[in-house]
């Protein structure tokens, strides 16, 4: 195995989404043969020691359709049975996340 096997794959595209106390990363990477795949990473800071804990899923292009169908069906199931109010957060230097003033946090 070459030196390349121990390194991260080439990053092609990245999208960072901050959502409350979590940050999600959607990263498109390329295999050695040039095929793209997606890594989904959830990052959350542990309160007790300040360490960031990350969970990662690798999603390959041959699974996109089934994954999307499953995710969509699951989200629709929840939305049809409970109100879903999305909260919008802004990053602030003084506080980790500050809610926008026009957000509705009622349930």
């Amino acid at each position: 195995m070459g030196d390349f096997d121990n390194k991260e794959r080439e990053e092609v595209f990245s999208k960072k989404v901050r959502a409350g106390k979590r940050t999600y990363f959607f990263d498109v990477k390329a295999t050695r043969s040039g095929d793209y795949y997606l890594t989904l990473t959830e990052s959350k800071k542990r309160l007790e020691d300040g360490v960031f804990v990350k969970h990662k899923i690798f999603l390959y292009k041959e699974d996109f359709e089934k994954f999307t169908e499953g995710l969509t069906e699951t989200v629709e199931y929840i939305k049809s049975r409970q109100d879903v109010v999305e909260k919008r957060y802004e990053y602030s230097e003084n506080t980790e996340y500050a809610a926008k003033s026009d957000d509705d946090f009622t349930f």
Side-chain angles (χ1 to χ4, degrees), residues 22-25 40-44 53-57:
R22 293 179 182 86
T23 302
Y24 299 97
F25 299 91
L40 307 172
T41 307
E42 174 208 34
S43 178
K44 184 177 180 183
V53 178
K54 295 182 180 182
H55 300 97
K56 189 173 280 200
I57 296 173

Side-chain angles (χ1 to χ4, degrees), residues 49-97:
D49 58 8
V51 171
F52 285 92
V53 178
K54 295 182 180 182
H55 300 97
K56 189 173 280 200
I57 296 173
F58 292 81
L59 185 59
Y60 299 94
K61 64 183 182 180
E62 59 268 21
D63 301 327
F64 287 174
E65 192 67 33
K66 292 290 184 182
F67 183 89
T68 302
E69 288 172 9
L71 179 61
T72 300
E73 184 178 334
T74 305
V75 169
E76 290 305 316
Y77 176 88
I78 294 169
K79 285 182 173 182
S80 71
R81 286 163 176 76
Q82 295 181 345
D83 289 334
V84 177
V85 178
E86 293 198 25
K87 300 175 186 174
R88 298 285 179 186
Y89 296 89
E90 291 180 352
Y91 183 74
S92 170
E93 291 294 326
N94 299 329
T95 58
E96 189 171 339
Y97 297 96

Side-chain angles (χ1 to χ4, degrees), residues 30-45:
T31 65
R32 280 183 273 175
S33 62
D35 285 333
Y36 290 165
Y37 64 97
L38 173 64
T39 62
L40 307 172
T41 307
E42 174 208 34
S43 178
K44 184 177 180 183
K45 192 176 191 179

